[in-house]
Amino acid sequence: MNFTRWSARFPGTQRRAAARTEHAAAQAKRGEGAVPAARGGRADPGAERSGPADDHPADPTVSGTGTGTGTGPGTGTGPGTGTTPAQRTGVLTAVPSLDELSAREVLGRLPALVALVHGPEHRVAYVNDAYTAGFGARTPGAPAHEALPELGELGLLPLLDQVQRSGKPRTAKNRTAPGGGSSYTVTCTPVEFPKTGGTAPEAEAHHAGVLIHLADVTDHAEAVERLRASERRQREAAVTLQRSLLPQELEQPDDLRIAATYQPGGTEAAVGGDWYDVITLGAGRTALVIGDVMGRGVRAAAVMGQLRTAVRAYARLDLPPHEVLQLLDGLAAEIDASQIATCVYAVHDPNEGLLAYASAGHLPILVRDEHGTVRRAADPTGPPLGTGGWLHTSGTIALGPGSTAVLYTDGLVERRGEDIDEGVAALERALAGAQGTPTVICDRLMRALGVDADHDDDVAVMVLQQPARSGADAELFHNAALELLGGIEAAPRARAFAQGVLASWRFPVELCDLGVLAASELVANSLQHGTPPMRLRLRRTDRRLIIEVTDGDDHLPRRRRAEPADETGRGISIVATIASSWGSRRTPGGGKAVWCEFALPDR
């Protein structure tokens, strides 16, 4: 323990320290040797008590204060003692005075470039050898703008005026000579010349000068530029990776109009891990996802790419939103336990007019209805992905015809010094007044929230609209449903219902026959393996015919190869063969839905 440090807090130690100081001062006054010999090198301890030895006469060159710190050859240390011979004998060499040094000699030996100018025109009074070597000889007495043109090229002449007017030194960093020459950090210091005569104010003013010190920092400037170039290359690589991992073209569902935009942070900000995606699930349903990896640079972009790929894989399972987030949570911890991510996963079902969603620490979805009222998607919101130990839950929000929803990352609404709720409120106001297509709304929201090329954070925004159709466009979208009570009459009723509906929708005969066959097989499969309640739903859009059967059993069917002697097991295979696509999923009520799609011929 350092007792000297702690002794300042012990009672009485200050008085003892003061007494020792007074005793030392008294000894110095009596000439009893102000600087004792070093402990490791004194030969006679008694010399410290009795003053200088008799065999050392007084030396007039020795400082009487005993504080000499000579820097010349006389300061060498003796072997193994750490002291000079003079110190071992109690005698120190004198300290040279700065008044004895020549300013010209000192300035001339400096490796930096030094120039001295005086008067209102900054006439040259002196340049050192380094300045002459760098820029050539200069004529004394000539004004700086003529004799020192390099100062004008470096933009220093106005700085000389400021220094002379204010009487305060100024520094200009990293001034580069035109043509890609050397770089200098320049310090201009006001000086006063000794007056040589004259009493007029003009004569006295001419004695004011400026000492110009140019330190060559070319190597430092080049190193900084190389570092900046490396950072630019890394940023470009991260941006390229980020954009390549985002969807190059968004999928456009039949019932939604979707647009998204990604704006990387400004040139001084590292690229983050914002991402978005649109995934068609079949049967008219669409998954929408937006997320943000809490990191920067290539690593964050790489983690983002892995999460986006995983989301697409999990979405194909057609799971509820909270189950998708549970799977992502475990995967995020495996990818990189040091990085977490926020995410919103939502599924739009046009049959229900709802947006089912689950959030992992992400900002709320905003929805503007057809009347212009903006609502926030309420809880539930779980912790970010990668934290583990949490069971996410799903919620729903209405998304009817004429509605617009916005999913976004925190870069859009978060500002330094402001609460993030203020940013979300500002986004609500901007959304309430934003009209037009999803692409137009994206641009208007970005402008309204002040996002530009110099924004300090990444921003991802996705806008989706449920169009309110009317007229001829509305004729291309129809729904029809039939409740099936079970029994042997269910299959004939389903075939008759499908035949009548498809004929009323004026489909070609071939498509009507395929639709009736698919409906019959799906209903037969549900009657054999499912439980009531059962429903047959037909839906047409401008691009496809969708046939879906729901029942109360949650066992999902699978396609298998039927043996020649088997009397059953061919229904799903027949549907998969004649339809464009098929699939199944569990429904929130505990049952299942099995569906297939037929692509409509081009109009």
Side-chain angles (χ1 to χ4, degrees):
M1 179 181 291
N2 188 347
F3 287 100
T4 303
R5 173 187 173 190
W6 287 100
S7 65
R9 301 185 183 182
F10 296 156
T13 55
Q14 294 88 344
R15 293 192 295 273
R16 289 195 294 271
R20 286 196 297 270
T21 303
E22 294 173 359
H23 178 66
Q27 284 184 328
K29 189 172 183 180
R30 293 195 302 267
E32 293 182 12
V35 180
R39 290 191 179 91
R42 63 172 179 252
D44 183 8
E48 185 175 356
R49 297 189 301 271
S50 60
D54 296 338
D55 56 348
H56 291 282
D59 188 347
T61 64
V62 178
S63 172
T65 62
T67 59
T69 57
T71 59
T75 60
T77 59
T81 65
T83 60
T84 66
Q87 287 174 321
R88 292 197 299 273
T89 59
V91 179
L92 294 179
T93 57
V95 178
S97 173
L98 287 177
D99 296 337
E100 301 174 5
L101 299 178
S102 169
R104 177 180 290 274
E105 181 179 358
V106 172
L107 296 178
R109 290 176 177 268
L110 289 178
L113 286 66
V114 177
L116 187 61
V117 298
H118 68 95
E121 294 184 345
H122 309 301
R123 295 184 178 274
V124 178
Y126 167 79
V127 293
N128 69 347
D129 295 340
Y131 198 104
T132 301
F135 293 112
R138 294 295 183 263
T139 303
H145 68 274
E146 297 177 0
L148 306 175
E150 58 277 358
L151 299 185
E153 295 174 354
L154 294 171
L156 298 176
L157 294 180
L159 188 64
L160 298 180
D161 294 333
Q162 294 177 14
V163 170
Q164 202 166 51
R165 285 195 305 267
S166 65
K168 297 180 180 180
R170 295 286 189 273
T171 299
K173 297 182 178 180
N174 295 334
R175 293 294 179 94
T176 303
S182 301
S183 297
Y184 301 94
T185 291
V186 185
T187 301
C188 297
T189 306
V191 296
E192 290 291 335
F193 289 92
K195 298 179 174 57
T196 58
T199 58
E202 294 80 2
E204 293 182 0
H206 287 195
H207 291 288
V210 179
L211 180 67
I212 307 167
H213 180 278
L214 295 91
D216 193 332
V217 293
T218 304
D219 293 341
H220 177 268
E222 291 177 351
V224 170
E225 184 56 34
R226 287 194 298 269
L227 178 60
R228 289 175 178 172
S230 175
E231 291 176 347
R232 286 194 297 268
R233 288 192 297 269
Q234 291 182 8
R235 173 183 166 76
E236 290 171 0
V239 171
T240 301
L241 177 61
Q242 176 88 338
R243 291 192 180 279
S244 65
L245 294 175
L246 291 175
Q248 304 303 304
E249 184 176 353
L250 289 179
E251 299 180 27
Q252 292 295 334
D254 298 352
D255 298 276
L256 294 176
R257 298 292 177 263
I258 303 176
T261 183
Y262 169 72
Q263 174 68 51
T267 56
E268 300 300 325
V271 176
D274 296 15
W275 94 92
Y276 56 84
D277 207 351
V278 178
I279 309 163
T280 54
L281 303 178
R285 300 166 72 251
T286 305
L288 309 127
V289 59
I290 193 165
D292 184 5
V293 176
M294 299 293 118
R296 296 287 181 181
V298 175
R299 180 59 184 167
V303 172
M304 176 274 291
Q306 296 177 77
L307 290 178
R308 176 175 174 259
T309 302
V311 169
R312 294 192 71 86
Y314 296 147
R316 299 302 178 189
L317 301 176
D318 212 342
L319 299 172
H322 65 276
E323 293 189 22
V324 173
L325 291 191
Q326 289 296 138
L327 295 172
L328 280 178
D329 184 36
L331 179 65
E334 294 177 5
I335 293 175
D336 191 340
S338 64
Q339 286 187 314
I340 60 175
T342 64
C343 178
V344 164
Y345 182 84
V347 176
H348 175 251
D349 190 340
N351 295 317
E352 304 294 337
L354 295 175
L355 194 65
Y357 65 91
S359 174
H362 206 79
L363 295 166
I365 301 173
L366 301 183
V367 176
R368 186 190 66 202
D369 61 22
E370 57 182 339
H371 305 295
T373 303
V374 178
R375 294 173 293 120
R376 297 187 190 185
D379 291 337
T381 298
L385 302 176
T387 56
W390 184 270
L391 293 178
H392 295 271
T393 55
S394 298
T396 59
I397 187 171
L399 188 70
S403 298
T404 300
V406 178
L407 290 77
Y408 53 97
T409 58
D410 59 358
L412 182 65
V413 296
E414 191 173 27
R415 299 293 182 272
R416 289 188 178 92
E418 294 183 6
D419 189 86
I420 196 168
D421 284 336
E422 297 178 7
V424 176
L427 179 59
E428 288 180 338
R429 293 190 295 270
L431 177 60
Q435 301 291 335
T437 64
T439 302
V440 172
I441 292 178
C442 276
D443 294 339
R444 290 180 176 176
L445 294 181
M446 296 279 277
R447 289 198 303 269
L449 273 294
V451 178
D452 53 21
D454 296 325
H455 195 60
D456 60 357
D457 196 4
D458 292 37
V459 177
V461 181
M462 181 161 56
V463 176
L464 52 137
Q465 287 182 341
Q466 169 78 40
R469 296 182 175 88
S470 60
D473 188 34
E475 292 298 320
L476 300 177
F477 293 80
H478 290 287
N479 285 281
L482 174 67
E483 299 292 338
L484 300 173
L485 302 178
I488 59 174
E489 75 282 358
R493 287 185 61 225
R495 285 193 294 271
F497 176 77
Q499 181 68 48
V501 170
L502 297 181
S504 68
W505 289 348
R506 298 179 182 180
F507 284 146
V509 176
E510 297 82 359
L511 183 58
C512 286
D513 293 341
L514 292 176
V516 171
L517 177 59
S520 176
E521 294 295 337
L522 292 180
V523 169
N525 182 79
S526 180
L527 290 172
Q528 184 173 358
H529 302 287
T531 59
M534 291 180 287
R535 172 187 285 186
L536 170 63
R537 174 181 288 162
L538 305 179
R539 174 176 171 80
R540 72 155 294 169
T541 69
D542 58 344
R543 287 182 280 181
R544 70 196 77 226
L545 167 66
I546 302 169
I547 302 173
E548 183 178 71
V549 175
T550 60
D551 63 53
D553 185 82
D554 62 357
H555 180 73
L556 299 180
R558 58 184 179 88
R559 184 179 180 181
R560 65 182 181 89
R561 181 185 295 275
E563 298 297 331
D566 292 343
E567 296 183 359
T568 61
R570 295 180 176 85
I572 296 298
S573 295
I574 292 174
V575 171
T577 300
I578 63 177
S580 303
S581 61
W582 78 281
S584 62
R585 71 179 187 279
R586 290 186 174 89
T587 56
K592 69 174 178 294
V594 185
W595 56 269
C596 65
E597 293 181 351
F598 295 88
L600 300 184
D602 295 335
R603 289 177 295 171

